[in-house]
């Protein structure tokens, strides 16, 4: 799977904006580079951890109570991986991808 670095940066900017309450619906307010740079100035020890998987699994990037999925543009497969919590409309579950999902 190839993931563009820019897509990872977009996800990181989204998570930072969500944490700082700087979202306009589902988009960060301001430029991606400004959001990341200002956060790094305030939190110089911040880091992003990206797990490496064997299959074409979406990358899950999280920051406290928010998370973003980054992966290949395959919405039909990803829709099957995500389920909503019946008790909490804001909570979702992402199950691990299998080889059968890619067929």
């Amino acid at each position: 799977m190839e993931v563009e670095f820019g897509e990872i940066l977009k996800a990181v900017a989204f998570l930072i904006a969500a944490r700082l309450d700087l979202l306009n619906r589902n988009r960060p307010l301001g430029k991606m580079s400004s959001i990341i740079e200002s956060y790094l100035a305030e939190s110089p020890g911040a880091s992003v951890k990206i797990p490496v998987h064997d299959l074409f699994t979406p990358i899950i990037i999280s920051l406290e109570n928010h998370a973003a999925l980054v992966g290949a543009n395959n919405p039909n497969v990803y829709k099957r991986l995500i389920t909503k919590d019946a008790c909490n409309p804001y909570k979702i579950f992402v199950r691990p991808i299998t080889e059968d999902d890619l067929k």
Side-chain angles (χ1 to χ4, degrees):
M1 173 178 74
E2 290 183 19
V3 177
E4 292 185 23
F5 186 67
E7 295 300 316
I8 293 172
L9 287 178
K10 285 180 192 176
V12 170
F14 170 81
L15 294 173
I16 292 169
R19 184 187 180 289
L20 300 176
D21 199 26
L22 297 174
L23 288 179
N24 179 14
R25 295 187 185 186
N26 61 348
R27 297 184 184 264
L29 295 172
K31 290 184 175 184
M32 174 180 66
S33 59
S34 299
I35 292 168
I36 294 171
E37 287 171 10
S38 64
Y39 186 74
L40 287 175
E42 294 176 16
S43 307
S47 65
V48 175
K49 295 179 182 176
I50 301 174
V52 178
H53 301 282
D54 293 336
L55 296 173
F56 299 114
T57 308
I59 297 168
I60 302 172
I61 304 172
S62 60
L63 179 64
E64 295 183 9
N65 296 329
H66 299 88
L69 292 175
V70 179
N73 189 7
N74 197 344
N76 292 328
V77 170
Y78 293 146
K79 283 179 186 177
R80 294 191 308 254
L81 301 180
I82 299 170
T83 56
K84 294 183 179 180
D85 186 327
C87 300
N88 183 346
Y90 302 106
K91 185 175 183 180
I92 63 170
F93 300 100
V94 181
R95 70 170 173 77
I97 197 168
T98 65
E99 289 186 35
D100 288 338
D101 291 318
L102 301 174
K103 292 180 182 176

